[in-house]
Amino acid sequence: MKIILFFLIFQEYIPVSKKSESNIFYIEKIKTLENANIFYPYLLPEDYKISDGDTLEIRFFGHFNGLSKRGVPKSGEILIASIPLVIPYFQLTGLPSTSPFFDTIPPLGKFYVKGKRVKEVEKEIREKLKEKYPETDVIVELISLGVKVVHLVGDIPYPGYYTVSPLTRITGVLAMGGVFENSKLKEGKIYLVRNGNKIEIDINKYIDEGDLSSNPYVENEDIIIFKRKKK
């Protein structure tokens, strides 16, 4: 039994040393569509905001002691409800104890998490938790990322629909469509259509000044338009 459990854990997690601390951290590995591996939550950019398709792990400890995994739907709301589960405690001998351990989730209601950072969501849950159950604390982590489908059109070699990770910026999608060089990007105008609103993207500020706000992350159902400037 112990050997099987270790094998399963070894398959799912990869040990990664953190230089600032002596402990070993086990963090999950996911594959992007380009077959490259990225690690999270530690190597996620600080400005990453939760999106639909992502999965949060919410762990309570104290008076309530439970674990809840919530996928973020399109509405952006997750429900934290009381779901009592009885998990038998197994002694070192492998025999079940007569004293079960109760795994419970406090009934806190709905939280809107889409577009917020993980720490912001954790703070909101903790504040509501402390109002009702001051003897319980919470930790929130992002354990998996959803994928985005975007539509690329315009004066590009390979227009069409692309499925990308939520860490993809507009220039990444344009590169998939065949616009690789900065000089080529500067030759055109870039528009982003999101939720029915069309805005022009000043990609020069990103290329010349490294302004990331001028090269935003893509979101699901975005339309990216690349038009060559008329000479």
Side-chain angles (χ1 to χ4, degrees):
M1 180 64 75
K2 291 181 180 178
I3 294 176
I4 294 174
L5 288 174
F6 175 78
F7 178 70
L8 291 174
I9 293 172
F10 182 77
Q11 280 189 316
E12 190 173 358
Y13 293 90
I14 296 177
V16 178
S17 297
K18 206 172 184 183
K19 292 182 180 180
S20 59
E21 297 178 25
S22 59
N23 295 334
I24 299 291
F25 289 82
Y26 288 84
I27 56 179
E28 196 172 348
K29 180 178 75 172
I30 61 173
K31 290 184 177 181
T32 66
L33 293 166
E34 294 78 21
N35 294 319
N37 296 325
I38 64 173
F39 296 94
Y40 61 94
Y42 299 105
L43 298 186
L44 277 177
E46 291 184 1
D47 62 344
Y48 180 77
K49 295 180 181 179
I50 298 168
S51 184
D52 51 285
D54 293 349
T55 303
L56 297 174
E57 182 177 272
I58 307 165
R59 186 182 299 274
F60 298 95
F61 51 95
H63 177 73
F64 287 89
N65 198 340
L67 176 67
S68 176
K69 293 183 180 180
R70 291 288 183 267
V72 180
K74 217 170 184 182
S75 66
E77 281 189 335
I78 61 170
L79 174 65
I80 301 178
S82 182
I83 310 173
L85 300 171
V86 179
I87 302 176
Y89 171 74
F90 286 86
Q91 299 175 336
L92 293 176
T93 58
L95 300 175
S97 168
T98 56
S99 301
F101 173 79
F102 291 91
D103 185 9
T104 55
I105 308 300
L108 297 177
K110 293 183 178 180
F111 291 84
Y112 189 83
V113 301
K114 187 175 177 180
K116 297 179 180 178
R117 296 178 177 83
V118 176
K119 287 302 178 184
E120 291 175 335
V121 173
E122 182 180 274
K123 182 181 178 182
E124 288 180 15
I125 296 175
R126 180 175 288 115
E127 287 175 351
K128 192 167 184 179
L129 188 64
K130 292 302 180 182
E131 292 176 4
K132 292 185 173 182
Y133 312 104
E135 296 180 359
T136 305
D137 204 350
V138 65
I139 293 175
V140 179
E141 291 184 339
L142 182 64
I143 61 171
S144 70
L145 304 178
V147 295
K148 311 298 175 191
V149 177
V150 297
H151 194 192
L152 183 59
V153 295
D155 303 323
I156 52 175
Y158 310 111
Y161 286 94
Y162 288 85
T163 305
V164 299
S165 89
L167 299 181
T168 306
R169 296 182 183 272
I170 284 179
T171 50
V173 179
L174 288 169
M176 293 177 188
V179 185
F180 298 102
E181 301 172 7
N182 288 344
S183 58
K184 298 293 183 184
L185 289 171
K186 287 187 173 184
E187 288 177 3
K189 287 191 173 184
I190 300 169
Y191 300 92
L192 171 65
V193 181
R194 178 176 294 171
N195 299 324
N197 299 315
K198 181 179 178 181
I199 60 171
E200 185 173 352
I201 300 298
D202 187 2
I203 206 67
N204 289 347
K205 286 190 71 176
Y206 168 70
I207 296 172
D208 297 334
E209 304 172 21
D211 182 0
L212 290 175
S213 65
S214 299
N215 186 22
Y217 293 116
V218 298
E219 293 186 6
N220 207 35
E221 300 179 357
D222 277 354
I223 301 173
I224 300 169
I225 306 168
F226 182 82
K227 289 288 185 182
R228 294 194 182 278
K229 295 176 182 177
K230 294 181 180 179
K231 296 181 179 179

